Amino acid sequence: KNQVEQSPQSLIILEGKNCTLQCNYTVSPFSNLRWYKQDTGRGPVSLTIMTFSENTKSNGRYTATLDADTKQSSLHITASQLSDSASYICVVSAKNTDKLIFGTGTRLQVFP
Amino acid sequence: GAGVSQSPSNKVTEKGKDVELRCDPISGHTALYWYRQRLGQGLEFLIYFQGNSAPDKSGLPSDRFSAERTGESVSTLTIQRTQQEDSAVYLCASSPYGTGGASQPQHFGDGTRLSIL
């Protein structure tokens, strides 16, 4: 069964600190993996998209990594800001399908 | 505007009533998706449109749910005889082409928060 699991479920950090969110998936055949940020009451916004051949991609203070062999991805946030408080969702796409498989997200709270 | 627009932003209705949710995708985007997000849960795929046709309806939870798209633009998700379990945020997304393995982001609207009393 195609699944995407994320950890931790929630995370609290202080402003200025770094953090890393994890994503494990069992989707096959794998096509690409996306990280989205979802602010409360808003729709998800794309941060990164990585294909099989990419093992790292950055978007400002966000850096995603992908290990297609172990089927794991991480999202590293550097020098966190209060505006980083949101849910971060890992999404995996299988080849030859238009259906995306969503993780349940990691709820990040950044405190001053 | 330039983004995906959904209306209404909030809808409260009584159990048993029908509701219609609207999505205006980004102009020129041929692919359109509907998702459901229950409180504290991940997004659940409902239906996908390529142009005006729906090649994948596999996520619709029951025959009370239906969707249509006209003019390769606006889409409407209809829920008939609503039940309390239908309470959720319904999100719409669009992309230039179908994701079909391609590395395109889906652009999401802010959703319609549906509450069934």
Side-chain angles (χ1 to χ4, degrees):
Chain A
K1 183 180 178 184
N2 289 331
Q3 285 187 313
V4 176
E5 295 183 353
Q6 294 187 243
S7 62
Q9 209 168 27
S10 61
L11 182 62
I12 297 174
I13 61 173
L14 294 178
E15 186 179 15
K17 298 296 184 183
N18 303 335
C19 67
T20 300
L21 314 180
Q22 301 291 343
C23 174
N24 296 334
Y25 63 92
T26 59
V27 178
S28 181
F30 174 83
S31 175
N32 59 72
L33 184 145
R34 308 147 186 251
W35 283 94
Y36 281 85
K37 178 187 179 188
Q38 185 175 23
D39 292 312
T40 300
R42 305 298 300 271
V45 174
S46 179
L47 295 175
T48 62
I49 300 176
M50 288 184 293
T51 59
F52 184 88
S53 60
E54 298 173 295
N55 55 24
T56 186
K57 185 166 277 190
S58 292
N59 178 358
R61 294 180 296 102
Y62 301 103
T63 299
T65 65
L66 173 64
D67 185 334
D69 291 331
T70 61
K71 298 187 177 181
Q72 296 180 324
S73 175
S74 65
L75 180 69
H76 187 74
I77 304 175
T78 304
S80 60
Q81 299 177 0
L82 298 179
S83 59
D84 292 332
S85 295
S87 287
Y88 291 84
I89 305 170
C90 177
V91 187
V92 181
S93 171
K95 286 184 179 178
N96 304 319
T97 177
D98 290 285
K99 190 178 297 185
L100 300 182
I101 299 152
F102 289 76
T104 54
T106 291
R107 175 80 182 147
L108 174 67
Q109 293 177 277
V110 181
F111 286 111
Chain B
V4 176
S5 177
Q6 292 188 246
S7 62
S9 54
N10 285 283
K11 177 74 176 178
V12 181
T13 192
E14 292 179 346
K15 177 182 171 182
K17 301 287 188 184
D18 297 351
V19 296
E20 251 184 29
L21 312 179
R22 177 187 169 108
C23 173
D24 283 272
I26 292 173
S27 178
H29 280 194
T30 62
L32 185 147
Y33 308 79
W34 282 100
Y35 297 93
R36 178 169 70 178
Q37 187 174 31
R38 289 184 164 137
L39 187 63
Q41 297 187 21
L43 273 73
E44 177 186 1
F45 170 83
L46 295 178
I47 188 170
Y48 154 66
F49 286 93
Q50 181 63 37
N52 292 335
S53 65
D56 192 346
K57 303 180 183 179
S58 62
L60 294 177
S62 76
D63 59 7
R64 296 186 296 105
F65 287 73
S66 62
E68 63 175 19
R69 188 180 185 194
T70 55
E72 295 196 357
S73 180
V74 173
S75 176
T76 303
L77 177 69
T78 301
I79 309 173
Q80 295 177 309
R81 306 180 302 282
T82 52
Q83 300 179 5
Q84 289 184 330
E85 68 207 39
D86 300 333
S87 296
V89 176
Y90 289 83
L91 289 158
C92 174
S94 71
S95 65
Y97 310 100
T99 28
S103 300
Q104 300 175 64
Q106 291 188 0
H107 301 266
F108 284 83
D110 286 335
T112 293
R113 184 174 299 277
L114 178 64
S115 300
I116 309 299
L117 302 178

